[in-house]
Amino acid sequence: MTSLASTSGLQRVLESERPRLLRFLAARGAGDDAEDVLQDLWHKISGAEARPVADPVSYLFRAAENVLRDRQRASLSRDRRQHEWQDLANSDDAPQGERVLIARQRLREAEETLLALGPRVDQIFRRYRLDGLGQAAIARELGISLSSVEKDLQKAYRALAQLKDKFDAE
Amino acid sequence: MNGQVSDILAEDARGWVIRLQDSSFDGWDAFADWLERDPAHLAAYNAALETDQAMAALFAVPPEPVIEAEPVAARPSRRLFLISGGAFAAALAVVVGWTSLDTGRSARTEYATAAGERREVALADGSKMVLNGATRVALLDKRHAELIQGEALFTVRHDAADPFIVKTGDVTLEDAGTVFNVVRDETGLRVSVAEGAVIYQPQADAVRLTPGDALSVTGGAKPEVTRTVTADVGSWRGGQLVYRNETLERVAADVSRNLGVQLRAGKGTEAIPFTGTISTQGGPGAVIERIAALTGTRAIRAGKGWMLDTIDGAPR
């Protein structure tokens, strides 16, 4: 089922979905900022040029999630500046060139980690996480079941999380 | 994070990170339910999110500079790298080895890509083909290729005595020292030239295309030659689709090939002329939304894919 909404339509949807969105934002850790997040969101959708949105409710939830992430990132970096975390200070000390070299080395390790899980896991991870293709589209493209795509993604993300733990310990 | 997150919880949290990344995710209430069930869930989710973003950022690290192996091809190739810059380098990173389907009876080798995929093929003589998505190219011998379907950018080492030939359908293209892009899809044939020259149908029309020329054939009609900007030839590799007065039908075909989604122009929109640049970055959903906004259409889901429909069309 597809419904369409123009920008003013989106604002109407935001109003009617306000309780659900607020509940989501509270669960998502927005705390007292939940109303502010919705306010930001309201301005965002009024500022955008009129464009059709296939699923307005999902669109608003996703946009709310994104606004929240931006705000949390901003406050996190404020906190970090205040505390001057040692590890952050250290990494800032490393010269730019060296940091690029470390990043390249880590990228190689990440690529090897994915390939070690098999070429299909590697391909599915790239299509999904880097190219932004949906799981259903990937399943069709590769002629495999949706649950196979899901399992491969879980494998890839799990392995990358373990690799991140290793990087953090270095 | 806040103490040790149990493996099971970490796995659940990663599951939500994964699912939320799908543009068709709609389980927002279920996600809120899960978060509310235990305060530890939010912390676990944020940790998984941070990990995911840190690891995905690695894949955006520019790879080491590519050193050209063939001195003969170095000049045009280097120019191409400059045109598309970092984005092409990123595209290179996703190039996987190519498969060759040897038919056994001749030196014919076929290269194929899935929609949304890219593949670079270095030829023995220093020439190079870059295949866009949903493309099949057969190499008949080292100076003779056939574009069966899709789009490819050819960077050819010129040899006047032994011209490089690209066949596509019943059309023959002969190079005269050249970087050129060829598209063969359901909308017909398009050829554009960045460097050197290409001769379209040397035995018949013998249309000579020079840098900045773009030739288009639709159905059985006569070829039409228009002008383009040489820097835009093959710009799809850098994630840009550049158009001057192109039909929406062709834009849709290009997007499908580049992104691996089905996009078509709905009734009444096929012939809408489009001039402008479309970035193919940011995921298919975002790209299609941008196209709809740029072309004054609306994007609706149609079967497994998307359709661009007229704004005033009756809603389904």
Side-chain angles (χ1 to χ4, degrees):
Chain A
M1 207 174 54
T2 301
S3 54
L4 288 139
S6 65
T7 301
S8 63
L10 265 181
Q11 287 176 326
R12 271 199 303 279
V13 177
L14 188 149
E15 278 315 308
S16 65
E17 296 292 331
R18 179 174 283 271
R20 261 175 92 198
L21 285 162
L22 281 174
R23 179 233 171 183
F24 164 72
L25 286 168
R28 188 61 185 78
D32 298 338
D33 287 347
E35 286 282 357
D36 289 350
V37 172
L38 277 198
Q39 196 60 30
D40 277 9
L41 187 55
W42 175 272
H43 287 302
K44 245 182 122 169
I45 58 181
S46 70
E49 317 139 47
R51 57 177 180 185
V53 172
D55 181 349
V57 175
S58 253
Y59 177 91
L60 287 174
F61 272 97
R62 182 169 300 284
E65 166 81 13
N66 290 342
V67 170
L68 188 69
R69 282 186 196 178
D70 288 347
R71 292 172 72 105
Q72 288 179 341
R73 222 187 333 256
S75 84
L76 189 68
S77 62
R78 256 200 315 278
D79 288 352
R80 279 193 175 156
R81 269 201 304 280
Q82 280 160 8
H83 290 110
E84 287 191 324
W85 283 6
Q86 210 180 350
D87 57 346
L88 199 78
N90 281 346
S91 74
D92 275 354
D93 280 349
Q96 174 74 20
E98 192 180 324
R99 262 183 289 163
V100 171
L101 282 182
I102 293 171
R104 268 189 203 139
Q105 171 57 33
R106 288 181 167 186
L107 171 59
R108 253 197 303 281
E109 279 188 61
E111 285 173 339
E112 282 161 13
T113 300
L114 288 173
L115 276 173
L117 298 170
R120 194 181 83 181
V121 175
D122 178 63
Q123 189 188 1
I124 289 176
F125 173 80
R126 288 170 183 278
R127 296 298 276 148
Y128 188 68
R129 184 61 179 92
L130 308 180
D131 300 344
L133 212 65
Q135 294 188 27
I138 294 171
R140 274 198 305 277
E141 185 176 294
L142 300 180
I144 58 177
S145 70
L146 199 54
S147 77
S148 301
V149 173
E150 227 178 312
K151 284 197 192 100
D152 280 1
L153 284 173
Q154 281 161 3
K155 276 188 215 162
Y157 281 65
R158 189 186 306 129
L160 288 177
Q162 284 162 355
L163 186 62
K164 165 109 179 351
D165 287 345
K166 192 196 132 215
F167 289 159
D168 289 347
E170 275 170 4
Chain B
M1 278 288 130
N2 312 325
Q4 274 300 350
V5 179
S6 84
D7 285 350
I8 297 169
L9 179 50
E11 188 74 42
D12 285 350
R14 263 200 304 276
W16 285 109
V17 168
I18 295 172
R19 283 194 288 282
L20 254 75
Q21 279 163 1
D22 201 311
S23 59
S24 65
F25 175 80
D26 59 3
W28 298 97
D29 288 330
F31 179 44
D33 287 344
W34 178 78
L35 287 171
E36 282 173 354
R37 211 165 300 143
D38 186 329
H41 289 181
L42 175 62
Y45 175 74
N46 279 328
L49 193 60
E50 195 188 321
T51 295
D52 171 68
Q53 289 175 344
M55 294 312 279
L58 278 184
F59 288 86
V61 172
E64 282 150 81
V66 176
I67 294 147
E68 286 295 314
E70 302 84 19
V72 195
R75 196 187 54 89
S77 307
R78 189 152 302 133
R79 244 177 91 182
L80 278 171
F81 273 97
L82 285 177
I83 292 166
S84 41
F88 180 49
L92 259 185
V94 299
V95 167
V96 262
W98 63 81
T99 31
S100 57
L101 308 170
D102 196 350
T103 57
R105 55 183 168 78
S106 71
R108 181 188 161 101
T109 314
E110 204 171 298
Y111 304 94
T113 53
E117 198 189 348
R118 298 280 167 78
R119 194 163 288 182
E120 187 174 327
V121 179
L123 305 181
D125 67 349
S127 300
K128 188 175 80 175
M129 319 187 277
V130 187
L131 276 58
N132 200 343
T135 296
R136 281 171 65 207
V137 176
L139 200 61
L140 307 172
D141 64 50
K142 69 180 180 12
R143 300 288 287 171
H144 198 170
E146 181 180 0
L147 176 67
I148 301 162
Q149 146 196 315
E151 177 167 20
L153 181 80
F154 295 87
T155 302
V156 167
R157 188 186 59 77
H158 180 57
D159 179 350
D162 182 15
F164 194 95
I165 306 282
V166 177
K167 257 186 61 184
T168 177
D170 51 6
V171 167
T172 300
L173 303 165
E174 185 183 297
D175 101 276
T178 312
V179 180
F180 60 105
N181 193 70
V182 187
V183 185
R184 152 78 62 192
D185 60 19
E186 64 273 27
T187 69
L189 171 71
R190 281 169 279 169
V191 182
S192 49
V193 178
E195 277 185 26
V198 168
I199 301 156
Y200 168 83
Q201 296 287 57
Q203 308 300 328
D205 312 60
V207 180
R208 190 179 169 87
L209 304 170
T210 56
D213 281 342
L215 174 139
S216 160
V217 187
T218 322
K222 275 269 156 206
E224 260 178 60
V225 178
T226 54
R227 295 290 295 167
T228 182
V229 173
T230 54
D232 293 342
V233 175
S235 60
W236 51 267
R237 294 168 316 146
Q240 302 246 291
L241 305 178
V242 184
Y243 299 102
R244 271 166 203 75
N245 249 327
E246 194 52 276
T247 61
L248 214 47
E249 188 188 15
R250 280 192 162 165
V251 174
D254 289 349
V255 169
S256 305
R257 188 167 48 243
N258 276 276
L259 294 183
V261 291
Q262 283 177 31
L263 175 68
R264 54 195 180 79
K267 257 203 155 31
T269 68
E270 304 96 323
I272 293 178
F274 176 68
T275 299
T277 300
I278 294 169
S279 160
T280 55
Q281 311 290 314
V287 173
I288 289 170
E289 254 183 44
R290 275 203 297 273
I291 293 170
L294 285 168
T295 55
T297 56
R298 56 178 189 172
I300 58 175
R301 301 235 45 141
K304 293 173 177 174
W306 292 82
M307 188 168 82
L308 297 172
D309 205 358
T310 49
I311 292 274
D312 51 7
R316 295 190 305 156

